[in-house]
Amino acid sequence: MPAGPEISPEAAVTDAAPAPDTTAPARPRRAVRLARLARREAPRTALAAAAGLALAAAFPPYDVWPLSVVAVAALALLTRGRTVRQGAWTGFAFAFPFFFCLLRWLHVVGYDAVTGLSLVEALFVVALGAGLALTSRLRGWPLWGACLWIAQEWARDRVPFGGFPWGRLAFANTGSPFTPLAALGGAPLVSFAVALAGGLLAYAAAALWRARGAGRRLRALLPAVEAVALAVAVSVAGYVVPVPTRADGTVDIAIVQGNVEKPGMDFLGRPLMVLDNHVSATLQLADDIRAGKVKKPDLVIWPENSSDLDPFQYQEAYDRIDSAVRSVGVPVLVGALVDHPGKPGYIDNKGIVWDPQTGPGASYAKQHPVPFGEYVPFRAELSKVITRLQRVPRDFYPGDHTGVLQVGPARLGDVICFEVAYDEIVHDTVTAGARALVVQTNNATYGRTGQPEQQLAMSRLRAVEHGRAVVTAATSGISAVVAPDGRVLQRSEEFTQDVITARIPLRDGTTVADRVGAGPEWALAMVGLLSCAAAILIGRRGRLDKKGQE
């Protein structure tokens, strides 16, 4: 047989399959991919940041409450249909500018404090953004989103170090149509209604976008119209909620705002200066009573830290307080820092009932000291790194009981400063028998920063929530009298010495919010978490079904 054609090695190589092209472009480096991702996400990130700033403007001192609904709607739209990671990033882009603007009053401590606290608080909204993205594929997603807002607020109100409730949606709506809902379910129900109204507006916007190619057909627009109608209904539902205000008695009070030397971290000035200011204002009140210019009150209220020295350790401070109380002739609720009797090295932040005949008597110690302001967690370790913490030389010790005090003829509930932000503390004080609430506060460090206005807004919400008059006594302002329906009847200016006299109602009845307590908040938060679990299960089942079809 003739031999076949001879094939050279070169030809064999030529006829074989072409070798891989090793000159193809390498996979883009991580930095390039991140740059592309940043460019792609920049518009959405900018919109989220703008929405966060809009939410900050809903709070005092700006008080544009409708922006709270708009901001919630914007976050819902920006996370809709996104991945969990994308939703988490959008939540951060929304939350950090919001908290930085809202908490800017901390700049008197340092902008690093503003930044650090804003970052910590933003982490909770990161989880919210991820949850909104996850549940946006479920039917009824505006409802699940509103529940997730409550879950976020529930967690932020409790951790870390007892939580920090500043920035709840309810605190931006203390004078809005949503406010009366507080009498039914407290601050959580107000936040839920705001979040639900915002979610429904987002649903309407999404429905309009889907119907944009359907011309003017009413059927295509119907879902948007229904969502807007529901949002309006939720927004005005508070108007049909009765807010109990009928008084079971009254009491005449005087609030003494003594003022301080200057705003900022060094507001105390020299020792006894703040105390002398309150003593002199009280002595002037006594003179006015004797001259017939002012009716004699049943009791007088001094603010938190109105005595800048422990009256039980410094006889001079004790004597000055005692002389002022005897001069006015009625019990005075005095705010003072005193050495803890059983814990050497610790301080109690107290409200003390000082009687003109018997002297100091019953007292209330603040239950929730402020971390890094009134005590330093991990002091031994952190003080080596952050030397500024040495400005808190001793830790405050938390009180162990509610602040119900008999002050003259009135059984008042004392709540000290930031405690007004915490649902449980105020709720327990009212259910323990307080007929009116007193907020003793010292905002001198944060004067003219917007913080006093934000705290006063919380007092307004608590008044409606519990159907109680709320009296705020501040060293440097804002001192105020709030009616049980949330109206501010009288208020002082900041950094002025002032005495406010008023007759306030005393109430024994309780609201629905008092009776249900934290139940609605727990229920709504649980529904929010379960909706995330349902979204995960449905998504997993859908992927398995798709794989089975392939």
Side-chain angles (χ1 to χ4, degrees), residues 371-387:
F372 302 102
E374 296 176 330
Y375 77 97
V376 180
F378 313 113
R379 177 182 288 274
E381 296 79 13
L382 291 179
S383 58
K384 297 176 182 177
V385 181
I386 308 173
T387 57

Side-chain angles (χ1 to χ4, degrees), residues 139-484:
R139 292 175 62 88
W141 53 269
L143 176 61
W144 316 132
C147 291
L148 284 172
W149 270 96
I150 302 307
Q152 173 263 141
E153 290 189 355
W154 176 93
R156 201 161 54 78
D157 294 354
R158 290 164 174 81
V159 293
F161 307 119
F164 186 70
W166 238 260
R168 298 169 73 179
L169 294 176
F171 294 153
N173 286 271
T174 59
S176 78
F178 295 100
T179 309
L181 295 172
L184 294 181
L189 185 59
V190 176
S191 287
F192 173 76
V194 174
L196 181 58
L200 288 168
L201 287 183
Y203 184 93
L208 287 174
W209 180 258
R210 289 194 304 270
R212 66 190 185 280
R216 296 185 177 180
R217 286 184 299 175
L218 180 60
R219 186 174 181 179
L221 299 176
L222 191 58
V225 174
E226 291 174 342
V228 171
L230 280 174
V232 172
V234 170
S235 300
V236 301
Y239 286 126
V240 301
V241 176
V243 177
T245 59
R246 184 182 61 83
D248 298 303
T250 60
V251 66
D252 293 322
I253 66 165
I255 309 167
V256 174
Q257 178 177 300
N259 203 12
V260 299
E261 183 181 18
K262 59 181 179 180
M265 294 290 289
D266 301 312
F267 66 89
L268 283 173
R270 60 173 174 80
L272 292 177
M273 177 175 286
V274 175
L275 175 57
D276 282 345
N277 289 348
H278 288 83
V279 168
S280 64
T282 305
L283 293 175
Q284 182 61 53
L285 171 64
D287 290 341
D288 291 342
I289 293 170
R290 285 189 287 270
K293 298 179 181 178
V294 177
K295 181 183 177 182
K296 185 176 182 178
D298 297 310
L299 59 96
V300 175
I301 300 169
W302 284 9
E304 177 190 25
N305 305 155
S306 47
S307 178
D308 48 11
L309 290 179
D310 182 351
F312 303 111
Q313 297 296 325
Y314 294 88
Q315 188 63 41
E316 187 177 2
Y318 185 103
D319 291 342
R320 294 189 189 194
I321 296 171
D322 201 56
S323 67
V325 175
R326 289 179 183 275
S327 178
V328 78
V330 297
V332 178
L333 182 61
V334 177
L337 301 180
V338 303
D339 290 344
H340 191 283
K343 294 283 185 180
Y346 285 88
I347 305 173
D348 281 338
N349 188 354
K350 280 193 170 184
I352 306 167
V353 180
W354 206 292
D355 188 87
Q357 304 299 325
T358 59
S363 64
Y364 165 67
K366 187 177 184 179
Q367 300 175 68
H368 198 302
V370 179
F372 302 102
E374 296 176 330
Y375 77 97
V376 180
F378 313 113
R379 177 182 288 274
E381 296 79 13
L382 291 179
S383 58
K384 297 176 182 177
V385 181
I386 308 173
T387 57
R388 195 185 312 158
L389 295 177
Q390 297 171 7
R391 300 191 72 170
V392 186
R394 292 194 292 172
D395 290 340
F396 289 27
Y397 198 81
D400 57 4
H401 60 82
T402 61
V404 178
L405 300 169
Q406 189 70 35
V407 188
R411 191 168 64 250
L412 304 179
D414 192 13
V415 176
I416 297 180
C417 201
F418 279 24
E419 288 185 327
V420 72
Y422 295 89
D423 294 348
E424 296 85 354
I425 292 175
V426 185
H427 172 268
D428 292 348
T429 302
V430 171
T431 55
R435 305 183 76 197
L437 293 168
V438 173
V439 180
Q440 290 182 292
T441 187
N442 176 10
N443 291 327
T445 299
Y446 308 113
R448 301 194 182 104
T449 65
Q451 189 270 357
E453 288 91 343
Q454 292 174 9
Q455 192 170 320
L456 178 59
M458 297 175 193
S459 294
R460 296 182 63 188
L461 186 76
R462 298 307 181 195
V464 176
E465 181 177 357
H466 303 290
R468 295 291 189 273
V470 179
V471 176
T472 298
T475 51
S476 58
I478 303 169
S479 300
V481 178
V482 181

